[in-house]
Amino acid sequence: MRNNSDAVKLDLRETQIAIKSIKDYFQRDLANTLNLARVSAPLFVRPETGLNDNLNGEKAVNFDLRHYGTNVEIVQSLAKWKRNALKEYGFSIYEGIYADMNAIRAEEDLDEIHSAYVDQWDWEKIIKKEDRNSDYLKLVVKEIYSSFKRCEEFINQVYPYVLKKKLPDEIHFITSQELEDLYPSFDDKERERAISKEYGAVFIQGIGKKLKSGKPHDSRSPDYDDWDLNGDIIFWNPTLNNSLEVSSMGIRVDEEKIVEQCREKNLEERLELPYHQAVIERRLPYTIGGGIGQSRICMFFLEKRHIGEVQAGVWDEETIDHANKLGIKLL
């Protein structure tokens, strides 16, 4: 461990060790806090099951399994798969699961915090029907934030002369409509930047539904989150002087919301898929769940300026040249 000055940052080898320390600590703490068991998760699924995440219409990477003579898709998230798994594995109310989710998003717009490779912890927990409300959602957000706080304290104790405290004591809550009312002339990313800079950590509730302006704060697939009872956890990242979304989560659709939201998006054909029918027919448990970016939190806590410092990937010459000029070593 280095101890000479605040200006010293972790080198390549130290960074790799620190990444593992953060991941080991955080997933263990999160599992204990939310009562989650780790499970194995698929890298690909059959598209006809309806289990894949359609995101905002991006096309999933797909390939043929020659032996079976069938086409499969790389998962884009495990939002639907987890809810189905909770039933199949026999979990009970207030028990949950988490898994390492790895995905390829070939159509992603790439920058300092986005790459074509996604690595996150996907988690899901069974709740009661009466828990489908804002108070319960906020309770779970606070529990997750407490894991972030403990993780920061842990890694900063390991590298006390290198890393600084960045998270406030508490996370701030605001709805997407309140945020639009506060900054009516800003777009969604400008609003996120402004509110996270003011409070340090914020949960924006209500992603996907139309606001007074006629536009949603951000797009969200209609068939897993309830747009009234979901949201994003966003930190202010002083290293990048910008906002950083670290988690997207929410209470999942019930038998009514899945129909309402699919109809609003003119995607009623999805309602015939096996997963959607299981929700409509109440054959799946009511749940809350989300994803937490592994590389994102490593970037944040280790004060890295590019996701390529904590994640091995493929970068174009322009990105590599720009990184070299800034003294950034991409993996």
Side-chain angles (χ1 to χ4, degrees), residues 262-312:
C262 281
R263 284 176 175 168
E264 183 174 331
K265 285 284 191 177
N266 294 316
L267 293 170
E268 292 179 79
E269 70 277 4
R270 287 191 194 174
L271 299 175
E272 300 303 318
L273 295 170
Y275 169 82
H276 300 66
Q277 283 293 301
V279 174
I280 293 169
E281 296 173 4
R282 305 181 192 181
R283 290 186 278 113
L284 293 180
Y286 298 108
T287 64
I288 183 172
I292 299 172
Q294 296 183 13
S295 291
R296 290 274 181 98
I297 71 167
C298 289
M299 275 190 73
F300 179 79
F301 288 132
L302 300 180
E303 298 170 9
K304 300 299 184 180
R305 292 175 288 172
H306 196 284
I307 197 167
E309 294 184 85
V310 296
Q311 177 192 104

Side-chain angles (χ1 to χ4, degrees), residues 64-320:
D64 292 328
L65 287 176
R66 181 175 58 85
H67 182 80
Y68 294 129
T70 188
N71 184 263
V72 294
E73 293 179 343
I74 301 290
V75 295
Q76 301 202 98
S77 88
L78 297 174
K80 301 171 193 172
W81 178 87
K82 292 174 297 180
R83 189 172 179 179
N84 188 69
L86 283 168
K87 176 191 175 184
E88 296 297 328
Y89 295 175
F91 283 83
S92 301
I93 293 175
Y94 301 133
E95 295 179 337
I97 58 176
Y98 80 96
D100 288 291
M101 195 285 290
N102 299 295
I104 300 170
R105 295 185 182 169
E107 298 183 6
E108 186 71 84
D109 292 326
L110 310 183
D111 56 26
E112 289 86 353
I113 63 172
H114 294 91
S115 71
Y117 170 67
V118 179
D119 59 337
Q120 65 184 36
W121 290 289
D122 254 320
W123 65 273
E124 198 85 8
K125 182 174 181 175
I126 298 177
I127 60 175
K128 297 177 181 178
K129 174 114 173 151
E130 51 264 38
D131 294 322
R132 301 188 72 259
N133 58 70
S134 291
D135 288 340
Y136 186 80
L137 174 65
K138 291 177 180 178
L139 172 65
V140 176
V141 171
K142 289 177 181 178
E143 289 179 328
I144 294 171
Y145 189 67
S146 72
S147 288
F148 280 121
K149 287 284 292 177
R150 286 188 291 272
C151 187
E152 180 180 56
E153 181 179 357
F154 160 73
I155 200 65
N156 285 19
Q157 286 177 348
V158 176
Y159 302 101
Y161 300 96
V162 179
L163 305 175
K164 299 179 179 66
K165 180 180 181 292
K166 295 174 283 296
L167 291 177
D169 292 337
E170 296 181 354
I171 188 168
H172 178 72
F173 291 90
I174 191 168
T175 68
S176 56
Q177 186 58 66
E178 290 169 339
L179 190 57
E180 182 182 70
D181 294 342
L182 195 60
Y183 303 106
S185 63
F186 288 7
D187 65 24
D188 57 337
K189 295 307 174 187
E190 290 170 335
R191 292 178 200 136
E192 290 177 3
R193 190 175 191 275
I195 197 70
S196 62
K197 186 174 185 179
E198 180 176 356
Y199 290 99
V202 62
F203 181 75
I204 302 173
Q205 181 178 337
I207 309 293
K209 65 178 182 179
K210 289 183 180 180
L211 305 177
K212 292 175 184 176
S213 63
K215 300 178 181 179
H217 176 78
D218 198 357
S219 295
R220 196 61 48 89
S221 187
D223 46 11
Y224 57 89
D225 278 352
D226 184 322
W227 292 341
D228 290 310
L229 298 172
N230 68 352
D232 293 338
I233 297 175
I234 297 174
F235 294 162
W236 175 251
N237 187 348
T239 305
L240 294 178
N241 194 36
N242 209 343
S243 57
L244 182 71
E245 178 193 320
V246 294
S247 177
S248 173
M249 59 170 288
I251 292 173
R252 306 311 195 183
V253 290
D254 62 8
E255 58 277 7
E256 296 173 351
K257 275 289 186 176
I258 193 171
V259 174
E260 175 188 321
Q261 293 179 177
C262 281
R263 284 176 175 168
E264 183 174 331
K265 285 284 191 177
N266 294 316
L267 293 170
E268 292 179 79
E269 70 277 4
R270 287 191 194 174
L271 299 175
E272 300 303 318
L273 295 170
Y275 169 82
H276 300 66
Q277 283 293 301
V279 174
I280 293 169
E281 296 173 4
R282 305 181 192 181
R283 290 186 278 113
L284 293 180
Y286 298 108
T287 64
I288 183 172
I292 299 172
Q294 296 183 13
S295 291
R296 290 274 181 98
I297 71 167
C298 289
M299 275 190 73
F300 179 79
F301 288 132
L302 300 180
E303 298 170 9
K304 300 299 184 180
R305 292 175 288 172
H306 196 284
I307 197 167
E309 294 184 85
V310 296
Q311 177 192 104
V314 174
W315 322 106
D316 63 10
E317 290 301 321
E318 182 180 353
T319 299
I320 294 171

Side-chain angles (χ1 to χ4, degrees), residues 1-10 14 159-164 303:
M1 182 174 64
R2 300 181 177 190
N3 59 7
N4 53 338
S5 79
D6 284 346
V8 174
K9 295 300 178 184
L10 302 176
E14 290 169 327
Y159 302 101
Y161 300 96
V162 179
L163 305 175
K164 299 179 179 66
E303 298 170 9

Side-chain angles (χ1 to χ4, degrees), residues 10-27:
L10 302 176
D11 64 23
L12 214 57
R13 180 173 177 176
E14 290 169 327
T15 296
Q16 292 297 303
I17 294 170
I19 288 170
K20 185 176 188 301
S21 296
I22 288 173
K23 290 185 176 183
D24 287 348
Y25 182 94
F26 185 83
Q27 67 179 319

Side-chain angles (χ1 to χ4, degrees), residues 47-61:
E48 65 270 19
T49 62
L51 289 174
N52 208 355
D53 184 352
N54 298 95
L55 300 176
N56 298 316
E58 295 93 330
K59 182 175 174 58
V61 176

